[in-house]
Amino acid sequence: SVDELPKGYEKKVANIRIKAFPALVDKKQSVAVELFEQESLADKAMLMGVSRLVLLNIPSPVKYLQQKLPNKAKLGLYFNPFGAIGELLDDCILAACQYLVAEKGELPRAEAEFNECKDYVRAEIADTVLNAAVKVEQVLSLAHEINKKLKGNVPLNVIQSHGDIKSQLGKLVFKGFIVACGVQRLDDIHRYLKAIVRRLEKLPVDPNQDRLKMIEISKVEDAYLALVKKQRQDIPLPDDLEQTRWMIEELKVSLFAQNLKTPYPVSAKRIMNHLKSFQ
């Protein structure tokens, strides 16, 4: 019960001005107001806190999902490797809500703004979650197919490539990936998995070519991770720098599965130039 939550808060203590940033914080079954030293951390918490408060104040879309979700999608979701289907649907719902809250624009800090945001999410969430759940099933099915292809005896000349693919898959599809990546990324993740399938098809034909491409990607990844390590650890990565992670995924598509196309021109050189802007 808060009438209005200020964006910043200042207090004078012994001639020192202390500035803090209040935000709603997601506590699963409730939300709390907490103060943050960094504005970027407060903004991140605020999106999650507002989303949780909205979900606690609107009807759950689970029943709608059960009615409208195609049987194939229901079956695929039941065979997910990340626990109960309920947890997976909760992830879909939370990710859909965060997407809609962010899409609405400025995060609400007063009651009237919150009610407007809540009404917008209430109107849109059922179809947004349904759309997301169908895509999640497609992602999980493809991930399952890739895992099957990676099992069994692996020839020595492709063992390194298989290890690289397992690592990539683990970073794309994991428990909580829907909230972590956002519903807006589900189509991209599906395309990245299709690129892995294409890579696996071509791998036995020319393992050496695959290895050369892997070395090219590895140089870019190493440069990105080295730059990430230099960033402040107590605040989120700048959006433009974090975007590099997805640029590297697009590079993999362009190298291993050109026919799937990328949304923008990408190459190792372009990514390296992008990284130089942060140094």
Side-chain angles (χ1 to χ4, degrees), residues 148-167:
K148 279 203 301 189
K149 289 178 189 289
L150 293 171
K151 283 180 180 161
N153 292 326
V154 182
L156 277 174
N157 62 347
V158 299
I159 205 159
Q160 203 177 353
S161 298
H162 272 229
D164 183 57
I165 288 167
K166 270 184 190 169
S167 172

Side-chain angles (χ1 to χ4, degrees), residues 86-140:
E87 288 178 38
L88 196 68
L89 292 181
D90 284 347
D91 256 16
C92 281
I93 292 165
L94 182 56
C97 185
Q98 287 180 3
Y99 168 74
L100 291 169
V101 168
E103 190 184 54
K104 188 79 176 69
E106 189 91 20
L107 293 173
R109 289 187 168 269
E111 189 178 353
E113 293 168 3
F114 174 76
N115 287 333
E116 193 184 322
C117 177
K118 179 183 71 177
D119 291 343
Y120 174 71
V121 174
R122 187 205 299 263
E124 300 291 334
I125 195 161
D127 287 331
T128 306
V129 173
L130 178 62
N131 190 28
V134 169
K135 289 176 181 180
V136 166
E137 185 276 324
Q138 292 169 347
V139 165
L140 291 175

Side-chain angles (χ1 to χ4, degrees), residues 63-271:
K63 197 175 280 186
Y64 180 83
L65 265 180
Q66 289 168 342
Q67 290 170 350
K68 300 287 183 180
L69 206 57
N71 285 334
K72 178 184 175 294
K74 280 183 191 169
L75 200 62
L77 292 173
Y78 268 109
F79 287 100
N80 88 84
F82 307 118
I85 188 171
E87 288 178 38
L88 196 68
L89 292 181
D90 284 347
D91 256 16
C92 281
I93 292 165
L94 182 56
C97 185
Q98 287 180 3
Y99 168 74
L100 291 169
V101 168
E103 190 184 54
K104 188 79 176 69
E106 189 91 20
L107 293 173
R109 289 187 168 269
E111 189 178 353
E113 293 168 3
F114 174 76
N115 287 333
E116 193 184 322
C117 177
K118 179 183 71 177
D119 291 343
Y120 174 71
V121 174
R122 187 205 299 263
E124 300 291 334
I125 195 161
D127 287 331
T128 306
V129 173
L130 178 62
N131 190 28
V134 169
K135 289 176 181 180
V136 166
E137 185 276 324
Q138 292 169 347
V139 165
L140 291 175
S141 295
L142 209 45
H144 179 66
E145 187 187 317
I146 292 164
N147 274 317
K148 279 203 301 189
K149 289 178 189 289
L150 293 171
K151 283 180 180 161
N153 292 326
V154 182
L156 277 174
N157 62 347
V158 299
I159 205 159
Q160 203 177 353
S161 298
H162 272 229
D164 183 57
I165 288 167
K166 270 184 190 169
S167 172
Q168 182 188 3
L169 186 59
K171 288 171 191 166
L172 289 173
V173 184
F174 51 88
K175 188 168 186 173
F177 80 97
I178 312 160
V179 171
C181 300
V183 295
Q184 68 276 15
R185 287 237 180 251
L186 290 172
D187 285 332
D188 288 333
I189 291 170
H190 190 242
R191 186 166 46 85
Y192 302 151
L193 297 187
K194 281 163 84 173
I196 291 175
V197 171
R198 185 76 191 99
R199 179 183 178 184
L200 281 166
E201 286 166 358
K202 292 196 284 188
L203 183 57
V205 181
D206 195 346
N208 199 44
Q209 190 63 33
D210 189 278
R211 200 157 39 246
L212 290 172
K213 289 172 181 176
M214 203 162 54
I215 290 166
E216 188 179 349
I217 292 161
S218 184
K219 285 177 186 170
V220 178
E221 281 182 327
D222 289 348
Y224 169 57
L225 292 173
L227 195 52
V228 167
K229 277 184 183 171
K230 290 179 184 174
Q231 304 302 304
R232 283 182 56 174
Q233 300 301 304
D234 59 336
I235 58 172
L237 281 180
D239 288 344
D240 285 354
L241 180 55
E242 194 173 18
Q243 177 63 22
T244 312
R245 181 223 161 158
W246 300 107
M247 290 171 77
I248 292 169
E249 290 297 336
E250 295 297 345
L251 178 62
K252 291 176 184 178
V253 172
S254 78
L255 290 174
F256 294 116
Q258 266 186 322
N259 60 316
L260 292 176
K261 300 201 167 39
T262 59
Y264 48 82
V266 67
S267 66
K269 189 179 177 183
R270 281 175 194 263
I271 298 174

